[in-house]
Amino acid sequence: MRPLFLFVVPLFSGLTASASGFETGPQGARVLGLGGASTAYINSIAGLSTNPGLLGQWGDSLTRISIGHLSQFRRSSFIGQDTYRRTDQELTVQPGGYFYATHGVGKRVAVGLAVTMPYGYHTKWPNNWEGRSVIQESQLSTYFVQPTVGFRLNDNFSAGVGFVYAYGKYSQRRALGQYDDPAAQSKFSSSGQGYGVNVGLYGRTGETLAFGISYRSGLNLKMNNGKLTTVGVPERDDALYPSTADFKTQINLPSTLSVGVSDRITKNLLLTFDFTLSGWSSLDSLKLDVAASGTAPARRISTARRYEDALAFRVGAEYQATPKLTVLGGLRYADTPVRDEFINPEFVDANTLGASAGAVYQLGRLALEAGYAFDYGQRRTARANPVIDRVANVSGTYRTGTHMASVGVAVAF
Amino acid sequence: MNTFYLNQLGRTGLVAVATAVLNACAPGQETPTPTTSVDVSRYVAVGDSYTAGISAGGLTRASQEYSFPSLLARQFKGASREAAFTQPLLEAGTGAGFIELVDFPATGLPKTRRVAGQAVRRTIINPGTCAGPDTVRLLTRNNPSSSLPQNLGIPGLALSQIETAGLGNEASAVAGAPFNSYFERLLPPATTRTYLQAVTDVAASATFFTYFQGLDDLLPYVRSGGQCGGRYDSTAFRNQALLTMRANARKVLDRLAAGGRPGIIAKLPALTTLPLLRLGNGTALLARFSAAPGVFITVGNPFRPAQVRPITSRDYVLASVLSRVGQPTAVVVGSTTLMLPYGLDSRNPLRDADVLDETELTFVSFVLNGYNNELETLARDVYKMPVITPDGNQRALNLDVILFDQVAGLISVGGVVYSPELVRGNFFSLDYYTLTPRGNGLMANAFITAINKAYRANIPAVDVNSLPTVAQ
């Protein structure tokens, strides 16, 4: 264990960036309470989506199912650099949920299924805010389906591999602020799918220490069915902005490399640690390729993102308070993939510090799980240069806070 | 049914409570407080058409409310609660008349029509002016006319007229006499007060000023293609015109900056940045009519016989005649009458009055540059104004650098692009010269940037995109 761990530390210490972006948080009530440090955590099958290598550990005769609901409330405030006006994002709930199932087949093999919604956001600014011509509302939702097979290599090691099918929906709308009509706006909506793999390894050294390492490939959601609708354009500009047009886009979701350790300090207390490196640098820009419509030629609306790979560090603790009640807690720090020069109100992000808490109550075969986490972001300052006329942005400062709450049940039978 | 209703109510209540709790959770940030180290509570604006709020060729109550001094004063209120600003507002409606858009064809040259103004109480036709008959429109008097407004912008007022007695007296509204109906409506009837006296009176109680005057001295010459508005082709006239502008600017500024009163002196933008000239630049025209054998203009002055030559990149066809270029007109060639495209045939060249040629532009720019240099000198040496540019050596506001040149290269403000193009550019108004309300917002922001730098102030900028795109 020790040699591996020493190898991992220099790997990450050279990186200036750390992983939040538009992850919706740990995909399970129990792992949410744990702060998401679940790469080497086998007390919830929600670890399946983080590390398929864990699956081999659930290869006994039991069938396990875990299901629950997850909601994310993400909210930013903005103060215009020159106007001094404060605008708060409207309250939105990014709904999420998860479903996991595992079943052993034979002595060394287990199969599992993970259905999660790991990436997404819902940004909604007031319709008449200062940056309305940059963005009024934007939403991304993703659904990952991951059939997985796990192998128990020996008593201490297991490995797993999963195939990821992802489906995503993206929409945004923005005002056409060059017109007097406050209702003039463009709406984009599209959906598409992508594929990836997820592989992982889990090992135990002795009775108390375990480690996990996993890699999930990046995904490319290809969206070819986009519809653009434009309203409120004066007649003289009808030819420039046809009321409907098709568009294509693609959204790259990052690869993740996770390394985790869990250590049973006492009989009742378990500590877990995770490093995650998210390959956000695959998200270079958002390009909306609008097809020709009527007399309007094809055009590309491109917004630079230039995301950086980002690192997150998470610590979790699980304490068995009574035979029926387990409480959880976690802390985490995540670097943002968003660089200073590319802060954009469509998705505001910052380096975040977060804390979480959770509880599990055992009722026979059934476990009731609940988790809550809060992340608070650093202040970010966006500076738009008006002379670069193809970049639509607003200058100002942002603060972002994110609440995540989840409830679920887990059964083993 | 009943149960459902209660459930619905219960659910609504739950959502309301949850919303209230989470609303309180928007991450806080401290909003900066607008401050200023100088008193901006009584601001006086001196200038001509731009300052008065002319937009789309006319003055209306709305265009006055979106004049750049009015927008500036609105922002001053944030920093100085007791700040007040008075303007000689017209009754709501069509005001002194303006031009409105009829159609905007692909040529980029808007089709417009003139809307008559309801505030016009009498018109006097002046048949003998250089550019043909001129209509003077007398306007309803500002109420109360006993006290002068803080916005002393007078459309059409030339610096050379600031000491003309009777400029604002209706008795002068006869053919040939100097008269300004916009000045007239500010004054009580039958007074001979000069503009300089008006400035003196208002400045006495002012705490802050802006000065942006002189464009209307040069515009008549530009608008007439060098035919009217002064004999700038004569060296003696040019030098005298420049001397007058400098001396009179000094007289006005002596009142405004008296006792070290803070303010901003703005220099004039280059004439070629105005759409009036820019749209008809020789290069642009040659590109537009690349199929024609060329574009031909008539150049000359009273001392030299007119001659016809091809247009160059340094000649400017007036925007007001651009739609006529290429239209066939009847020309007598030898003994026959031919229909030839206007300006696209050397036998049917553009008239001298339709072009501000290179030489004419040089003449008028000589005066403009000399005047701008004088303003900079006055600001630095005489009035000891603070530095307003980051590079630390400008004390008079160069609007070309901070605004007009930037717009010419396109700017994006909060996701909205502003350009010098008419109608879609949202900056210049339909008269090819003055600004739209949003253009005035950008102008006000240029002044605010300068004030914040010069006077260590924190005055918030105007949210330009929330202003209307047309004043009327």
Side-chain angles (χ1 to χ4, degrees):
Chain A
M1 178 55 222
R2 188 163 292 273
L4 174 78
F5 197 63
L6 287 178
F7 163 71
V8 163
V9 170
L11 177 72
F12 289 119
S13 60
L15 295 162
T16 51
S18 125
S20 44
F22 41 83
E23 285 172 6
T24 53
Q27 299 290 301
R30 190 162 180 159
V31 290
L32 178 67
L34 194 67
S38 59
T39 309
Y41 176 73
I42 56 167
N43 291 353
S44 166
I45 62 167
L48 191 57
S49 61
T50 316
N51 183 3
L54 304 175
L55 179 55
Q57 298 300 313
W58 303 306
D60 53 23
S61 60
L62 292 176
T63 295
R64 292 176 169 80
I65 289 175
S66 174
I67 185 166
H69 174 82
L70 185 86
S71 290
Q72 190 188 38
F73 312 82
R74 188 186 177 89
R75 213 163 171 214
S76 302
S77 65
F78 171 81
I79 291 177
Q81 176 190 281
D82 298 319
T83 58
Y84 302 175
R85 277 212 311 247
R86 174 169 165 171
T87 309
D88 290 345
Q89 275 180 3
E90 287 178 15
L91 183 72
T92 57
V93 178
Q94 173 75 7
Y98 59 90
F99 170 82
Y100 297 100
T102 65
H103 183 68
V105 283
K107 273 201 156 173
R108 295 194 171 274
V109 181
V111 291
L113 180 71
V115 181
T116 55
M117 298 170 69
Y119 297 98
Y121 62 85
H122 188 177
T123 301
K124 192 175 183 191
W125 294 97
N127 274 341
N128 60 349
W129 86 291
E130 228 177 303
R132 62 193 171 277
S133 302
V134 181
I135 200 77
Q136 287 169 309
E137 187 173 3
S138 176
Q139 187 170 19
L140 174 74
S141 302
T142 61
Y143 306 84
F144 278 34
V145 179
Q146 181 191 308
T148 314
V149 55
F151 309 94
R152 199 179 180 107
L153 303 173
N154 59 35
D155 279 355
N156 284 337
F157 285 89
S158 60
V161 58
F163 165 81
V164 179
Y165 165 81
Y167 172 79
K169 283 196 298 188
Y170 173 71
S171 63
Q172 64 144 272
R173 62 190 174 85
R174 56 172 90 180
L176 294 168
Q178 64 266 50
Y179 302 119
D180 285 322
D181 183 356
Q185 63 176 3
S186 292
K187 291 184 215 175
F188 299 80
S189 70
S190 59
S191 63
Q193 51 205 2
Y195 309 93
V197 293
N198 193 355
V199 295
L201 196 67
Y202 171 81
R204 252 197 308 250
T205 55
E207 281 301 297
T208 58
L209 201 63
F211 71 91
I213 180 162
S214 71
Y215 174 79
R216 188 174 64 207
S217 68
L219 287 162
N220 182 349
L221 293 175
K222 284 196 169 60
M223 301 182 168
N224 295 329
N225 60 355
K227 281 269 174 276
L228 162 62
T229 51
T230 306
V231 293
V233 174
E235 208 176 311
R236 62 165 206 265
D237 282 356
D238 274 352
L240 289 179
Y241 297 104
S243 58
T244 58
D246 295 331
F247 77 94
K248 290 181 184 181
T249 189
Q250 38 182 295
I251 291 174
N252 289 325
L253 298 174
S255 63
T256 54
L257 176 65
S258 305
V259 178
V261 183
S262 72
D263 191 0
R264 186 162 289 285
I265 305 287
T266 69
K267 186 167 166 286
N268 290 337
L269 181 67
L270 178 77
L271 290 184
T272 63
F273 303 89
D274 258 30
F275 278 108
T276 304
L277 176 68
S278 297
W280 284 107
S281 59
S282 61
L283 202 91
D284 181 69
S285 55
L286 177 71
K287 298 186 186 81
L288 304 170
D289 287 309
V290 181
S293 172
T295 51
R299 66 195 160 111
R300 166 174 281 188
I301 301 165
S302 178
T303 320
R305 292 279 185 265
R306 309 271 187 280
Y307 279 13
E308 306 181 293
D309 291 344
L311 193 65
F313 178 62
R314 305 181 174 109
V315 187
E318 182 182 270
Y319 183 71
Q320 178 107 37
T322 71
K324 292 201 163 184
L325 179 71
T326 305
V327 292
L328 303 133
L331 286 173
R332 55 190 172 172
Y333 172 78
D335 267 352
T336 176
V338 181
R339 299 170 202 240
D340 280 347
E341 313 87 288
F342 298 97
I343 299 166
N344 184 292
E346 178 167 4
F347 177 74
V348 181
D349 198 31
N351 293 341
T352 54
L353 201 58
S356 62
V360 180
Y361 190 76
Q362 198 71 38
L363 282 172
R365 290 171 178 276
L366 191 74
L368 305 177
E369 306 175 335
Y372 166 81
F374 175 68
D375 284 332
Y376 193 64
Q378 280 182 328
R379 199 167 81 127
R380 307 271 348 233
T381 303
R383 293 189 199 286
N385 185 351
V387 179
I388 303 172
D389 62 276
R390 63 205 145 69
V391 177
N393 207 348
V394 281
S395 295
T397 55
Y398 297 93
R399 270 267 189 211
T400 305
T402 309
H403 301 264
M404 280 148 285
S406 180
V407 287
V409 292
V411 285
F413 54 87
Chain B
M1 183 66 205
N2 205 14
T3 329
F4 173 73
Y5 174 76
L6 284 171
N7 269 346
Q8 191 75 351
L9 197 74
R11 199 179 297 171
T12 312
L14 201 67
V15 167
V17 169
T19 308
V21 169
L22 286 158
N23 258 325
C25 294
Q29 285 194 71
E30 213 158 289
T31 314
T33 320
T35 55
T36 157
S37 65
V38 291
D39 182 2
V40 290
S41 62
R42 280 199 64 82
Y43 155 49
V44 57
V46 168
D48 41 37
S49 296
Y50 267 72
T51 302
I54 293 271
S55 187
L59 195 71
T60 60
R61 188 187 184 98
S63 84
Q64 288 178 301
E65 275 163 357
Y66 295 115
S67 67
F68 86 82
S70 167
L71 295 173
L72 256 185
R74 234 191 261 178
Q75 299 308 106
F76 287 164
K77 277 208 172 134
S80 171
R81 205 165 282 277
E82 66 277 21
F85 188 65
T86 51
Q87 295 204 98
L89 290 174
L90 292 156
E91 294 279 319
T94 53
F98 58 92
I99 48 182
E100 68 174 6
L101 185 69
V102 177
D103 188 23
F104 191 57
T107 57
L109 300 169
K111 288 197 168 65
T112 57
R113 77 170 145 243
R114 176 135 208 119
V115 177
Q118 66 181 180
V120 177
R121 63 182 160 89
R122 209 184 111 201
T123 56
I124 300 130
I125 310 283
N126 190 350
T129 62
C130 164
D134 187 26
T135 309
V136 174
R137 298 181 178 88
L138 282 166
L139 303 167
T140 50
R141 182 161 274 101
N142 180 43
N143 200 10
S145 58
S146 53
S147 68
L148 286 161
Q150 284 161 271
N151 187 342
L152 282 177
I154 306 291
L157 179 83
L159 273 167
S160 57
Q161 298 174 323
I162 60 163
E163 290 183 288
T164 306
L167 186 72
N169 186 340
E170 194 171 342
S172 312
V174 292
F179 175 72
N180 188 310
S181 59
Y182 293 96
F183 186 43
E184 193 265 347
R185 64 179 290 269
L186 303 194
L187 301 178
T191 46
T192 54
R193 219 161 6 154
T194 65
Y195 183 71
L196 189 62
Q197 284 167 343
V199 172
T200 312
D201 292 351
V202 178
S205 58
T207 61
F208 189 83
F209 74 91
T210 62
Y211 173 86
F212 181 39
Q213 193 162 18
L215 260 188
D216 283 357
D217 286 66
L218 308 176
L219 253 285
Y221 183 78
V222 175
R223 278 186 193 286
S224 61
Q227 302 297 295
C228 311
R231 297 285 307 280
Y232 288 92
D233 47 327
S234 138
T235 314
F237 180 90
R238 264 200 315 276
N239 289 333
Q240 187 52 51
L242 177 56
L243 280 177
T244 309
M245 279 181 76
R246 287 172 156 196
N248 287 359
R250 170 127 200 208
K251 283 176 193 161
V252 173
L253 283 168
D254 275 348
R255 268 70 174 181
L256 292 176
R261 186 180 294 119
I264 297 288
I265 300 172
K267 293 187 273 199
L268 304 184
L271 294 167
T272 50
T273 64
L274 304 175
L276 182 61
L277 294 184
R278 202 193 59 88
L279 289 176
N281 174 266
T283 312
L285 225 58
L286 286 170
R288 194 173 136 209
F289 296 107
S290 53
V295 178
F296 301 91
I297 59 172
T298 313
V299 295
N301 61 44
F303 307 116
R304 281 186 291 140
Q307 65 176 110
V308 175
R309 65 166 172 84
I311 199 166
T312 74
S313 62
R314 294 180 293 277
D315 300 313
Y316 293 85
V317 177
L318 300 182
S320 43
V321 298
L322 280 176
S323 57
R324 301 209 322 262
V325 178
Q327 300 293 321
T329 53
V331 190
V332 180
V333 180
S335 57
T336 52
T337 302
L338 296 176
M339 292 299 283
L340 296 173
Y342 183 51
L344 303 185
D345 189 301
S346 59
R347 291 166 296 177
N348 189 11
L350 290 165
R351 292 187 311 139
D352 198 1
D354 290 345
V355 184
L356 192 75
D357 66 57
E358 186 184 354
T359 326
E360 290 161 343
L361 183 60
T362 314
F363 292 153
V364 73
S365 298
F366 163 81
V367 179
L368 186 139
N369 294 334
Y371 173 70
N372 278 346
N373 291 341
E374 174 72 2
L375 291 183
E376 184 67 48
T377 311
L378 287 173
R380 186 183 59 234
D381 299 340
V382 179
Y383 307 118
K384 317 273 186 232
M385 310 283 286
V387 168
I388 58 172
T389 49
D391 62 19
N393 50 28
Q394 303 239 348
R395 289 155 201 268
L397 180 61
N398 186 334
L399 287 168
D400 272 339
V401 171
I402 199 172
L403 183 64
F404 286 89
D405 289 351
Q406 291 195 6
V407 173
L410 272 60
I411 56 169
S412 170
V413 179
V416 178
V417 173
Y418 291 87
S419 79
E421 191 192 7
L422 291 198
V423 183
R424 288 194 188 113
N426 282 335
F427 183 73
F428 287 109
S429 72
L430 292 170
D431 58 16
Y432 300 99
Y433 166 44
T434 61
L435 306 179
T436 64
R438 292 192 186 192
N440 277 308
L442 290 167
M443 175 82 108
N445 285 349
F447 276 87
I448 287 170
T449 306
I451 293 165
N452 287 347
K453 173 79 178 76
Y455 299 108
R456 283 175 287 110
N458 263 330
I459 293 164
V462 180
D463 177 9
V464 175
N465 296 344
S466 65
L467 298 173
T469 60
V470 287
Q472 287 84 16

